[in-house]
Amino acid sequence: MAHTASPQPVTINPAPALVGRIRVPGDKSISHRSLMLAALAVGESRVEGLLEGEDVLATAAAMRAMGADIARGADGIWRIHGVGVGGLLQPQAALDMGNSGTSTRLLIGLVASHPITATFVGDASLSARPMQRVIAPLSLMGADFTPSPGGRLPLMVRGLAPAVPITYTLPVASAQVKSAVLLAGLNTPGITRVIEPVATRDHSERMLAGFGAVLSVEQTPEGRLISITGEAELKPQSIVVPGDPSSAAFWLVAASIVPGSDVVVENVGMNPTRNGIVNALRLMGADITEIDARDVGGEPVADLRVRHAALKGIEVPRELAPSMIDEYPALFVAAAFAEGRTVARGADELRVKESDRIAVMKDALIANGVSLIEHEDGLSIDGTGGEAIPGGARIASKLDHRIAMSMAIAGLHARAPVMIDDAAPVRTSFPTFFALLDALGGSVTWS
């Protein structure tokens, strides 16, 4: 599953107006969690709209390796027969997580409270990402870890059953760390508690409750307190996965910056812990309209119509960071076309994603003629006031799907084509990205 294929260079040519209706893949966060929880339920769960990118397929493969029966039907619906909480089997080989940090951290949490040993491996990008943030709380619960230097992959975890319930206050805002502890708590006697001083995406809480776990959320002076009662019995579910707001973000930015554009992105998840990019773009003056707002499987969903608009530079509210951390690269692109300066800070987490997204986006934007200042926790970007950026450079995606897609969007309104050294990582989260770009009127040349 690791990204080892030959690089796929691509050139993005300046585009006329982008026009049309598109549907983005299913939400990646919800897709991961639906497979994991269905694999722990007793009976058959059905998942419709699952993101079939490499990251989610890595999760499916890992759950199969630990005993779950997971298959995709000819109708596109995934059917999962789970093993029950506490029923995970010893995997016979290392679990290859490819490029997926979410899969890795959440599955480490699952394994931590089961009496099995699992080794996690991944590609070069994932192997450079720190795992200490989940090792620390899960060690308190009794799991034993043998990581590579720096707390990285390859990593072996020996689970403990029964594990020890803990109350853990998150030192950094991280839905992955919160989820890892809650998932470990599923098979831990007693009540496991997580306190998050800064609220993060709440898909795990919603889905755990939907599958029947005894879970409560309350506000305390210290922050959100999430409590889960262990030795849970999960019930199979039918899930319809909404469109991924992180994938929709690229089209919201693209239609905003390319003159004459009018695009409808259908079925976008509008969970308030995930839609910070919509709020930030609206603060910049983006023309984004919600159509047919509805609720699907406990998650708010809407179709989003976005039309070209004159964007203005803003100071992005820091409190938006947890609800749009993956969308900052796309936001940086929007800022490059705004009038005046956009200051986007409070995003330290970008330094430890698939790449150092602050440094890599800085280099890519500067190479294509954008003026900016790098900060430890973000960028200050001077926009063109709606004019095309110079473009013309070849940028390094650094095995990071969001870098490749963000710079592809930037190339749509550039005076000269923008070249990306390797678009292959886009398959991890958005296999249809370039096909949709063509369908809307963009022009892509493969080298």
Side-chain angles (χ1 to χ4, degrees), residues 87-404:
L88 293 181
L89 303 180
Q90 172 72 44
Q92 298 305 303
L95 302 176
D96 186 349
M97 297 292 96
N99 189 241
S100 182
T102 300
S103 303
T104 306
R105 294 191 177 109
L106 270 58
L107 289 174
I108 286 174
L110 276 184
V111 170
S113 61
H114 283 74
I116 61 177
T117 298
T119 298
F120 292 84
V121 298
D123 69 8
S125 171
L126 180 59
S127 298
R129 299 178 67 180
M131 296 296 151
Q132 188 60 41
R133 57 182 56 184
V134 291
I135 291 174
L138 297 174
S139 295
L140 296 175
M141 298 180 76
D144 181 59
F145 292 88
T146 306
S148 296
R152 293 175 164 82
L153 301 190
L155 174 151
M156 179 184 292
V157 54
R158 300 173 189 84
L160 177 68
V164 181
I166 62 172
T167 297
Y168 188 70
T169 299
L170 294 180
V172 295
S174 172
Q176 292 180 0
V177 178
K178 170 180 67 176
S179 300
V181 176
L182 294 175
L183 291 173
L186 276 175
N187 197 43
T188 299
I191 300 176
T192 298
R193 299 176 176 90
V194 178
I195 299 170
E196 52 176 8
V198 178
T200 64
R201 60 184 64 177
D202 65 354
H203 301 305
S204 291
E205 297 95 304
R206 290 174 183 255
M207 295 192 72
L208 282 163
F211 272 87
V214 178
L215 181 140
S216 65
V217 180
E218 57 185 299
Q219 291 294 337
T220 73
E222 290 77 30
R224 285 178 84 242
L225 170 63
I226 306 107
S227 303
I228 188 167
T229 300
E231 298 182 308
E233 293 185 12
L234 301 187
K235 301 174 180 62
Q237 301 294 310
S238 291
I239 297 170
V240 178
V241 181
D244 196 324
S246 296
S247 297
F250 301 110
W251 309 112
L252 302 183
V253 172
S256 294
I257 65 176
V258 177
S261 294
D262 187 346
V263 174
V264 174
V265 188
E266 300 175 345
N267 193 48
V268 180
M270 295 297 288
N271 184 309
T273 65
R274 290 287 304 285
N275 68 353
I277 185 65
V278 174
N279 296 328
L281 289 172
R282 282 175 170 161
L283 289 174
M284 297 175 74
D287 181 356
I288 301 173
T289 304
E290 294 177 36
I291 303 169
D292 188 21
R294 54 204 184 270
D295 192 85
V296 177
E299 292 277 349
V301 171
D303 301 335
L304 299 180
R305 183 182 185 187
V306 56
R307 288 170 281 193
H308 173 253
L311 303 182
K312 295 187 180 299
I314 62 168
E315 184 160 341
V316 180
R318 288 174 181 256
E319 60 268 23
L320 287 181
S323 63
M324 58 176 286
I325 195 67
D326 285 331
E327 290 75 72
Y328 267 87
L331 181 72
F332 293 156
V333 172
F337 295 92
E339 179 183 346
R341 174 170 290 186
T342 297
V343 180
R345 304 192 63 173
D348 316 62
E349 185 73 7
L350 295 180
R351 296 285 187 186
V352 291
K353 289 289 187 176
E354 281 84 337
S355 67
D356 179 341
R357 287 179 174 161
I358 294 173
V360 177
M361 284 300 295
K362 175 204 71 172
D363 291 343
L365 289 169
I366 287 177
N368 284 283
V370 178
S371 176
L372 58 80
I373 300 170
E374 180 181 6
H375 309 289
E376 184 58 35
D377 60 349
L379 298 175
S380 291
I381 299 171
D382 294 318
T384 64
E387 298 297 319
I389 61 173
R394 179 184 178 91
I395 67 101
S397 66
K398 301 291 185 180
L399 294 178
D400 191 326
H401 53 129
R402 299 204 194 280
I403 300 297

